[in-house]
Coordinates of all heavy atoms in Angstrom, one line a residue:
S49 N 102.6 -8.5 99.2 CA 101.5 -8.6 98.2 C 102.0 -9.1 96.8 O 101.2 -9.6 96.1 CB 100.9 -7.2 97.9 OG 100.4 -6.7 99.1
F50 N 103.3 -9.1 96.6 CA 103.8 -9.5 95.3 C 104.6 -10.9 95.5 O 105.3 -11.3 94.6 CB 104.7 -8.5 94.7 CG 104.0 -7.3 94.3 CD1 104.3 -6.1 94.9 CD2 103.1 -7.3 93.2 CE1 103.6 -4.9 94.6 CE2 102.4 -6.1 92.9 CZ 102.7 -4.9 93.5
S51 N 104.4 -11.5 96.6 CA 105.2 -12.8 96.9 C 104.8 -13.9 95.9 O 105.6 -14.8 95.7 CB 104.9 -13.2 98.3 OG 103.6 -13.6 98.5
E52 N 103.7 -13.8 95.3 CA 103.3 -14.8 94.3 C 104.0 -14.6 92.9 O 104.0 -15.5 92.1 CB 101.8 -14.9 94.1 CG 101.1 -13.8 93.3 CD 101.0 -12.5 94.0 OE1 101.3 -12.4 95.2 OE2 100.6 -11.5 93.3
L53 N 104.5 -13.4 92.7 CA 105.2 -13.1 91.4 C 106.6 -13.6 91.5 O 107.3 -13.5 92.5 CB 105.2 -11.6 91.1 CG 103.9 -11.0 90.8 CD1 104.1 -9.5 90.6 CD2 103.2 -11.6 89.6
S54 N 107.1 -14.2 90.4 CA 108.5 -14.6 90.3 C 109.4 -13.4 90.2 O 108.9 -12.3 89.8 CB 108.7 -15.5 89.1 OG 108.6 -14.8 87.9
V55 N 110.7 -13.6 90.4 CA 111.6 -12.5 90.3 C 111.6 -12.0 88.8 O 111.7 -10.8 88.5 CB 113.1 -12.9 90.7 CG1 114.1 -11.9 90.3 CG2 113.1 -13.2 92.2
T56 N 111.5 -13.0 87.9 CA 111.4 -12.6 86.5 C 110.2 -11.7 86.2 O 110.4 -10.7 85.5 CB 111.4 -13.9 85.6 OG1 112.5 -14.7 85.9 CG2 111.3 -13.6 84.1
D57 N 109.1 -12.1 86.7 CA 107.9 -11.2 86.5 C 108.1 -9.8 87.1 O 107.7 -8.9 86.4 CB 106.7 -11.9 87.2 CG 106.2 -13.1 86.5 OD1 106.4 -13.3 85.3 OD2 105.5 -13.9 87.2
I58 N 108.7 -9.7 88.2 CA 108.9 -8.4 88.8 C 109.9 -7.6 88.0 O 109.7 -6.4 87.7 CB 109.4 -8.6 90.3 CG1 108.2 -9.0 91.2 CG2 110.0 -7.3 90.8 CD1 108.6 -9.3 92.6
A59 N 111.0 -8.3 87.5 CA 111.9 -7.6 86.6 C 111.2 -7.1 85.4 O 111.4 -5.9 85.0 CB 113.1 -8.5 86.3
F60 N 110.4 -7.9 84.7 CA 109.8 -7.5 83.5 C 108.7 -6.4 83.8 O 108.6 -5.5 83.0 CB 109.1 -8.7 82.8 CG 110.1 -9.6 82.2 CD1 109.7 -10.9 81.7 CD2 111.4 -9.3 82.1 CE1 110.6 -11.7 81.1 CE2 112.4 -10.2 81.5 CZ 111.9 -11.4 81.0

Side-chain angles (χ1 to χ4, degrees):
S49 299
F50 295 112
S51 63
E52 75 285 351
L53 292 178
S54 69
V55 171
T56 301
D57 289 337
I58 288 175
F60 289 171

